[in-house]
Amino acid sequence: MVQNRKYEEWKELNNKYIREINALIQSMKSNNALQVISYFTHSFNIFPSGDFDNFCIGTFHLKNIGTQALNNPFICIRVESENEFDFSGKYIYQDSLRKNRVTQAWERFNDSKVKHEYWLRPVDIGKLAKGEEISFSNFQLKWKSHSSYSFRVNAFVYGDEIQEGQHALNDIHIKGTIAKEDDTDG
């Protein structure tokens, strides 16, 4: 009798756990209908000193791994640094859209005088459907190594369904220290 009662208690507890797990799975399915991941891939060419250009070549990827489309996707790439740098990529400005049709281009829609933020949207893509990926490819960050330098490049994804922005999975961090030459005679 005691064994039967213990078995029934165990069976009821097990059924309760299964119901809880199923409820969690159902809530995860509905919550994860839109799931976009974004990340950087990059490489560097860095000279320790001199008048050579150092650069980082990067690509920012957006991939929809969910079941719902992201409408009107756009990104913000931010370069945090006190050092002088040049940022370039395959982007055009709104007033040049009619003049130059570049394949896989992005449109920069913030003020070009703002050097540390690049707000970009894909020219020919109005939505990122499930399973699709788009990339802002082969951008370059260039600087000289006359003195020590430090850069942090981060990004956020936005769209109709992500109005508050979603941070990328990774950032790019670049830091270098240039040794001062000793001018004293020994």
Side-chain angles (χ1 to χ4, degrees):
M1 278 307 209
V2 172
Q3 287 180 341
N4 270 348
R5 190 178 78 223
K6 289 235 183 236
Y7 174 74
E8 290 301 322
E9 287 173 4
W10 175 83
K11 192 170 149 184
E12 182 58 38
L13 186 61
N14 196 31
N15 287 335
K16 178 183 170 195
Y17 289 146
I18 290 173
R19 286 191 301 273
E20 288 177 10
I21 290 169
N22 284 333
L24 286 171
I25 290 171
Q26 290 304 317
S27 71
M28 287 173 59
K29 283 182 182 176
S30 63
N31 289 342
N32 289 337
L34 175 66
Q35 192 170 11
V36 176
I37 60 170
S38 60
Y39 58 95
F40 287 103
T41 56
H42 58 278
S43 63
F44 300 105
N45 188 23
I46 298 177
F47 293 92
S49 63
D51 270 347
F52 299 106
D53 284 336
N54 298 304
F55 57 90
C56 169
I57 297 176
T59 297
F60 186 65
H61 306 274
L62 291 84
K63 183 167 177 82
N64 186 347
I65 60 172
T67 59
Q68 178 184 346
L70 174 63
N71 293 294
N72 301 311
F74 61 98
I75 61 176
C76 175
I77 295 179
R78 202 166 48 200
V79 181
E80 298 174 9
S81 182
E82 297 295 321
N83 302 92
E84 288 293 318
F85 66 88
D86 290 316
F87 183 91
S88 61
K90 204 173 187 180
Y91 63 84
I92 54 181
Y93 293 96
Q94 187 172 22
D95 54 356
S96 67
L97 282 176
R98 292 182 190 92
K99 297 175 190 168
N100 300 352
R101 292 302 289 182
V102 180
T103 59
Q104 298 179 358
W106 291 67
E107 175 192 353
R108 182 174 182 190
F109 60 94
N110 69 318
D111 188 346
S112 63
K113 294 175 187 162
V114 177
K115 190 171 180 172
H116 291 276
E117 284 189 357
Y118 299 83
W119 291 83
L120 305 162
R121 64 179 149 238
V123 172
D124 296 323
I125 299 171
K127 77 175 178 178
L128 185 61
K130 98 177 186 183
E132 288 186 340
E133 180 176 351
I134 56 175
S135 299
F136 178 58
S137 299
N138 299 321
F139 65 82
Q140 284 191 21
L141 177 68
K142 291 194 309 188
W143 70 97
K144 301 273 189 200
S145 56
H146 296 297
S147 62
S148 298
Y149 53 87
S150 177
F151 296 94
R152 178 179 178 221
V153 183
N154 60 18
F156 297 86
V157 174
Y158 297 86
D160 291 350
E161 295 80 8
I162 310 175
Q163 293 185 2
E164 70 286 347
Q166 175 183 306
H167 195 278
L169 294 175
N170 63 335
D171 295 342
I172 300 172
H173 295 272
I174 309 164
K175 187 172 185 169
T177 304
I178 305 301
K180 301 282 185 198
E181 290 187 29
D182 189 6
D183 291 334
T184 60
D185 291 334

